[in-house]
Amino acid sequence: MSEQNQTSLHTLKISCSSCSLRELCLPVGLNREEMGQLDAVIRQSRRLKRGEYLFRSGESFKSLYAIRTGFFKTCVASQDGREQVTGFLMSGELMGLDGISSSNHSCDAVALEDSEVCELPFTRMESLSRDIPSLQHHFYRLMSREIVRDQNVMLLLGNMKAEERIAAFLLNLSQRLSTRGFAANDFILRMSREEIGSFLGLKLETVSRTLSKFQQQGWITVDHKHIQLVLVDELKNLISGCMHADGH
Amino acid sequence: MSEQNQTSLHTLKISCSSCSLRELCLPVGLNREEMGQLDAVIRQSRRLKRGEYLFRSGESFKSLYAIRTGFFKTCVASQDGREQVTGFLMSGELMGLDGISSSNHSCDAVALEDSEVCELPFTRMESLSRDIPSLQHHFYRLMSREIVRDQNVMLLLGNMKAEERIAAFLLNLSQRLSTRGFAANDFILRMSREEIGSFLGLKLETVSRTLSKFQQQGWITVDHKHIQLVLVDELKNLISGCMHADGH
DNA sequence: GGCGAAGCTTGACCCTTATCAAGGCGGAAT
DNA sequence: ATTCCGCCTTGATAAGGGTCAAGCTTCGCC
C-alpha cells in the first residue's frame, strides 16, 4: 500500500476509457464520479510509428501526453542543428509539461519505437484539477518531480566523467524498467549511441568506447542494443560519491 | 500593456502586506477580494544575511519563497561533497518548487547577498489556487517555466564550449538585470568564480581565463566582480548557433 | 535475397579544459 | 594601519574526451 502509493504519486498511469477501462486512472484516490469526469476528458489514445513526432518545438501547446506503451525521446534543437536530448521517456511518463509556460512546446517529442499515448487536453485537465484537489496536487507533484529530475541531469552534466555518466544512465534505465515489471539487468536500448551521447553530453564514439570498456571489465555485456548488467555493484560503485547526497 | 503582461506572467512580484502594500501581488488579474485572500496567506517576509541558508536539501518542504530583494544560488550536493549550482536567482524569482514532489527540499538555497524573501506556505497556496483559477494557472506556468529553463541549462552543459557558456551566462544575467531596471551592461557579480564554474560545468580557472580573454579582445571589462559588457554583439555572435532555435 | 545506408566499433591524433602551482590583490577583522 | 585569509589570475603540464578516419555489422528497402 505504501509502496503502491509511492509509485502512484510519481507516475501517471492512465487508461483511456476506449482503450482499457480496467486499468486504473491517475491513482490518486479518485471516487467513481471523479474517475468518470477524468475519463471524459482523456482523449482517445494516439498511435505513433517509430521515428514519428508527437509534437515539435514551437507548435502551439494544447495537451499533455501520457505514454501508454512505447518509448520516446524529448530534445531541443539549436539554431545550427545541434540537438540536445533532454530525456528518454517510457510507459506511464508524461510529456509536454514544458509547453505550459509559453503555450508553445519548447521541445520535440519523438517516438523511438511504435508507441501509444493518451492525450490530456490541458485546459480541461486544469479546470478538472480545480474540482478534484488530489488531482491538482498530483499535477503539482508531477511538475516538481520533473524539475528535480532535471536538476539531477545538471549534476550529471556538470560534474561527472564519461564513465560515471554511462554508469548512471544504465542504472537509471535499469531501475525504471524494473519498476515497470521488465528485467532490470537485461534490456534492449531503444536509442542510438548518438542519442545516448547527446543526452549525456558525450560524443557517440565515447559512448561506444565506454560500453566496450565496461564489457571488457566484465561489468556488462554489450551486443549492439542488447545490454546485460552483470556486476551491478561495480557500476553503483562508480557513481557512489558523485550522486546526489539524498541518493537520487 | 503587452510588455507588462509578458513579464507579469513570468515573474512573481509579491508584496507582503506587512512590507509594502503598494507593490502589486501576483499580477494575474486578481480582484480586490482575491488579493486580500492572497495577502492573508503570504507570511511576513524573512531577512537573510549573506551566506545564510534559506533551506537545505532534505529539510521538509513547507513553503515556496519569492525573492523580494537580494540574490540567491540553489545547489545540489553530491555525497563526496562536490556541489552543482543549479541556478542563480534574483528579485521576483521563486525558490522551492523542487520540494513539492517529495515533500522535502532537494536542493540548498543560499543567499549570496543580504536578502529578503516572502514565504508562501504551499498547502495554503494550493488551496487558494483552487479558488482562484488565474492563480492556479500562474503556478502551472511558473513550474513549466522552470522546466524550460532547466532544459536550456542542459543544452548549455551538454553542447557548449567554455567560451560559449560564459558568454551565455553573461548575456543571461544582463538580460535579467535589465528586466529589473538595472543597467544591462554594467553590473556586479554576486557569486564567486567557483560558483560560476559550478553552474556552467567548468573549473574556476577556466572561468577566470575566459573572462580575461574576453577582456583582452575588448568585448568586456573585468575588475574583479565588476563586469561591463562593451561589445555585446560579439558575445551574442559567439552563442548564435548554439542557442535554442526559438531564441532562448 | 541483395544492396545501400545507417549505425557501431576501434585506432590515431589533437584540442580543450582540468590540474597543479605560485603569486597577487583586496577586504574583513583586529 | 596591519595582518591574514579568501578569492582571483596566470602559467606549465597533463589527461580526458573530441575529431577524423577506416572498416564492419545490421537493418530496412527494393
Side-chain angles (χ1 to χ4, degrees), chain B residues 17-223:
Chain B
S17 55
S18 48
C19 313
S20 136
L21 214 35
R22 297 280 163 261
E23 299 169 37
L24 253 290
C25 290
L26 280 165
V28 282
L30 305 190
N31 63 32
R32 181 169 298 273
E33 186 196 342
E34 290 167 344
M35 271 185 54
Q37 290 178 286
L38 185 60
D39 223 39
V41 166
I42 297 169
R43 289 241 191 91
Q44 183 94 1
S45 70
R46 176 172 158 199
R47 288 170 195 279
L48 293 97
K49 290 241 169 94
R50 183 162 173 274
E52 207 175 331
Y53 280 72
L54 177 60
F55 53 78
R56 289 173 193 266
S57 178
E59 285 179 10
S60 87
F61 166 77
K62 297 279 191 317
S63 300
L64 302 172
Y65 298 91
I67 304 176
R68 276 179 57 77
T69 62
F71 203 89
F72 284 79
K73 70 171 175 180
T74 54
C75 49
V76 296
S78 60
Q79 289 165 348
D80 57 358
R82 280 185 270 182
E83 107 170 5
Q84 171 74 27
V85 172
T86 55
F88 295 112
L89 300 154
M90 52 180 77
S91 66
E93 296 178 323
L94 199 62
M95 295 179 288
L97 291 173
D98 53 273
I100 298 170
S101 73
S102 68
S103 298
N104 290 100
H105 288 288
S106 72
C107 67
D108 301 333
V110 188
L112 295 183
E113 62 179 14
D114 293 357
S115 300
E116 194 178 350
V117 300
C118 280
E119 183 178 351
L120 313 176
F122 181 66
T123 52
R124 300 190 62 186
M125 292 301 291
E126 210 178 358
S127 62
L128 191 55
S129 75
R130 281 196 289 275
D131 299 331
I132 309 177
S134 66
L135 184 63
Q136 187 196 44
H137 187 69
H138 193 68
F139 269 109
Y140 283 136
R141 290 184 75 132
L142 280 171
M143 297 188 76
S144 173
R145 189 172 147 76
E146 178 70 19
I147 292 169
V148 173
R149 191 191 71 85
D150 291 350
Q151 282 179 350
N152 286 324
V153 175
M154 286 186 221
L155 180 61
L156 180 144
L157 291 172
N159 275 310
M160 291 165 65
K161 293 197 186 300
E163 291 189 12
E164 297 170 334
R165 296 183 198 197
I166 300 283
F169 170 74
L170 292 174
L171 289 170
N172 176 273
L173 262 190
S174 167
Q175 188 267 314
R176 286 156 69 203
L177 287 168
S178 82
T179 293
R180 284 160 181 78
F182 297 107
N185 301 322
D186 187 319
F187 49 85
I188 305 293
L189 296 176
R190 255 60 230 215
M191 70 297 279
S192 69
R193 303 288 191 264
E194 185 167 18
E195 287 163 333
I196 296 172
S198 171
F199 180 58
L200 298 178
L202 302 169
K203 294 297 168 186
L204 70 95
E205 293 95 330
T206 304
V207 174
S208 182
R209 269 187 254 273
T210 306
L211 290 175
S212 297
K213 187 172 177 187
F214 285 175
Q215 178 163 238
Q216 267 186 320
Q217 290 174 297
W219 296 359
I220 67 175
T221 68
V222 183
D223 177 24

Side-chain angles (χ1 to χ4, degrees), chain A residues 10 57-58 76-80 82-84 86 97-102 105-107 122 126 129-130 133 136-137 139-141 143-148 150-151 153-155 157-159 164 201 240-246, chain B residues 10 57-58 76-80 82-84 86 97-102 105-107 122 126 129-130 133 136-137 139-141 143-148 150-151 153-155 157-159 164 201 240-246:
Chain A
H10 290 163
S57 178
V76 296
S78 61
Q79 288 166 349
D80 58 357
R82 281 185 270 182
E83 105 170 9
Q84 171 74 27
T86 54
L97 291 173
D98 53 272
I100 298 170
S101 73
S102 68
H105 287 288
S106 71
C107 67
F122 181 66
E126 209 178 359
S129 75
R130 280 195 291 276
Q136 187 196 43
H137 187 69
F139 269 108
Y140 283 135
R141 290 184 76 133
M143 297 188 76
S144 173
R145 188 171 149 78
E146 178 68 20
I147 292 168
V148 173
D150 291 349
Q151 282 179 350
V153 176
M154 286 185 222
L155 181 61
L157 291 173
N159 274 311
E164 295 170 336
S240 77
C242 58
M243 287 307 293
H244 189 280
D246 296 343
Chain B
H10 291 162
S57 178
V76 296
S78 60
Q79 289 165 348
D80 57 358
R82 280 185 270 182
E83 107 170 5
Q84 171 74 27
T86 55
L97 291 173
D98 53 273
I100 298 170
S101 73
S102 68
H105 288 288
S106 72
C107 67
F122 181 66
E126 210 178 358
S129 75
R130 281 196 289 275
Q136 187 196 44
H137 187 69
F139 269 109
Y140 283 136
R141 290 184 75 132
M143 297 188 76
S144 173
R145 189 172 147 76
E146 178 70 19
I147 292 169
V148 173
D150 291 350
Q151 282 179 350
V153 175
M154 286 186 221
L155 180 61
L157 291 172
N159 275 310
E164 297 170 334
S240 76
C242 57
M243 288 307 293
H244 189 281
D246 295 345

